[in-house]
Amino acid sequence: MERFAIISDIHGNLTALNAVLKDIEEKHISKIICLGDIAGKGPRSAEAIDIIKERCAVVVKGNWDYFLTHVTDSETIWWHRRQIGAEREAYLKQLPEYYEISLSGYLLRLCHASPNDIFYRVHLTTSNEKRIKLFEETPTLPCLSDIVGYGDIHGAYIDNIGDKVLFNVGSVGNPLDFNVASYAIVEGNIEADWLPNRDKSAYGITICRVPYDVELEIKIAEEMNMPELIDYSNELRTAIYRGRK
Ligand SMILES: [Mn+2]
């Protein structure tokens, strides 16, 4: 039985990232997979990218990793881009869009929003008809997955559509379900290559919540004169998305 941690949506919130990494270390888990949106929104994107690059075995691309590496007229995006610099931007640009492994004989796919489209967004309340798209085949492996884990929506859950399991790891740096950082731990028999007809065995998926110093993070963003500070502070404190009234 092996274990690994899955983190996502750090968004430059280093205070939350450090708290989550400490919790993972205390659980003696060494393998970490990141599902993207490392940077942007929060003040310390450069440091977050450096740590993720160093600590994570696999990193997939999020929609913000795309925004931060493409032309935009948003002043806010440019502020975050200036923090990152050209070398880290090149790193974000080359990230893959999904990762697939065999978990206890089941095909597990991990992605930011969906395996073939980083902008395809589904929530727990989205219809099964739309959510089932997340199980579709990929160019590298033309098989439907059994289990899919994703990020993007900043709200953790574990659900099933028939015998297919869908889970969201939530967000480290910008949780929008409640204002405590979240990540997931997966355990089972892990093989790098997935093969059909392999014996199935037990596996587990756990959502972990880690409190961190929200006010310290806001103070740092304030000291750095980060744009959209009020929206950021409100989101960290209330876990209510700025676009939602
Ligand atoms: Mn995000």
Side-chain angles (χ1 to χ4, degrees):
M1 205 72 132
E2 291 164 76
R3 291 198 297 170
F4 62 89
I6 311 175
I7 63 175
S8 189
D9 296 84
I10 296 95
H11 284 293
N13 181 342
L14 206 63
T15 314
L17 177 60
N18 286 334
V20 164
L21 292 177
K22 184 168 172 277
D23 189 59
I24 292 170
E25 205 173 299
E26 281 169 4
K27 290 187 167 84
H28 306 289
I29 296 170
S30 54
K31 186 176 177 177
I32 308 173
I33 292 173
C34 175
L35 302 186
D37 277 14
I38 308 163
K41 293 190 97 171
R44 290 182 286 176
S45 290
E47 293 91 335
I49 293 168
D50 292 345
I51 291 171
I52 292 297
K53 196 177 166 185
E54 159 101 24
R55 296 288 303 274
C56 297
V58 176
V59 181
V60 303
K61 189 185 290 178
N63 53 324
W64 270 79
D65 305 318
Y66 177 91
F67 294 147
L68 289 166
T69 53
H70 288 78
V71 176
T72 170
D73 55 8
S74 159
E75 266 309 309
T76 300
I77 298 273
W78 278 112
W79 187 91
H80 292 289
R81 278 183 87 156
R82 282 193 293 274
Q83 312 291 316
I84 292 169
E87 204 177 303
R88 293 185 192 89
E89 216 177 278
Y91 169 74
L92 293 181
K93 229 172 179 163
Q94 56 80 47
L95 293 173
E97 294 190 1
Y98 58 85
Y99 177 61
E100 41 207 11
I101 52 170
S102 176
L103 172 69
S104 299
Y106 296 94
L107 173 53
L108 167 64
R109 268 199 191 101
L110 299 171
C111 57
H112 182 70
S114 81
N116 298 308
D117 183 355
I118 56 171
F119 298 104
Y120 185 85
R121 179 167 291 162
V122 295
H123 292 87
L124 173 60
T125 51
T126 303
S127 70
N128 286 350
E129 203 178 34
K130 284 183 180 153
R131 291 198 301 163
I132 205 78
K133 183 178 157 64
L134 270 63
F135 293 85
E136 72 188 4
E137 48 193 51
T138 59
T140 45
L141 188 52
C143 297
L144 301 179
S145 41
D146 303 301
I147 310 166
V148 168
Y150 73 112
D152 183 49
I153 58 169
H154 301 205
Y157 73 83
I158 304 176
D159 194 29
N160 68 294
I161 303 171
D163 63 355
K164 295 194 177 298
V165 173
L166 185 60
F167 69 99
N168 191 291
V169 303
S171 169
V172 169
N174 184 215
L176 296 174
D177 39 13
F178 56 99
N179 71 344
V180 177
S182 86
Y183 73 98
I185 293 171
V186 168
E187 51 194 325
N189 296 315
I190 293 150
E191 312 264 6
D193 61 322
W194 182 79
L195 298 168
N197 307 322
R198 202 177 253 149
D199 283 344
K200 306 279 195 283
S201 58
Y203 68 88
I205 299 161
T206 311
I207 304 289
C208 303
R209 308 288 314 207
V210 185
Y212 72 97
D213 194 339
V214 171
E215 294 308 319
L216 172 65
E217 175 61 20
I218 291 170
K219 197 166 154 264
I220 290 163
E222 198 176 350
E223 280 165 3
M224 290 177 69
N225 290 315
M226 193 186 82
E228 301 185 21
L229 176 71
I230 306 271
D231 286 332
Y232 183 64
S233 309
N234 285 341
E235 277 184 7
L236 294 197
R237 286 180 181 133
T238 66
I240 298 169
Y241 180 59
R242 62 192 71 179
R244 201 197 302 161
K245 295 284 172 249

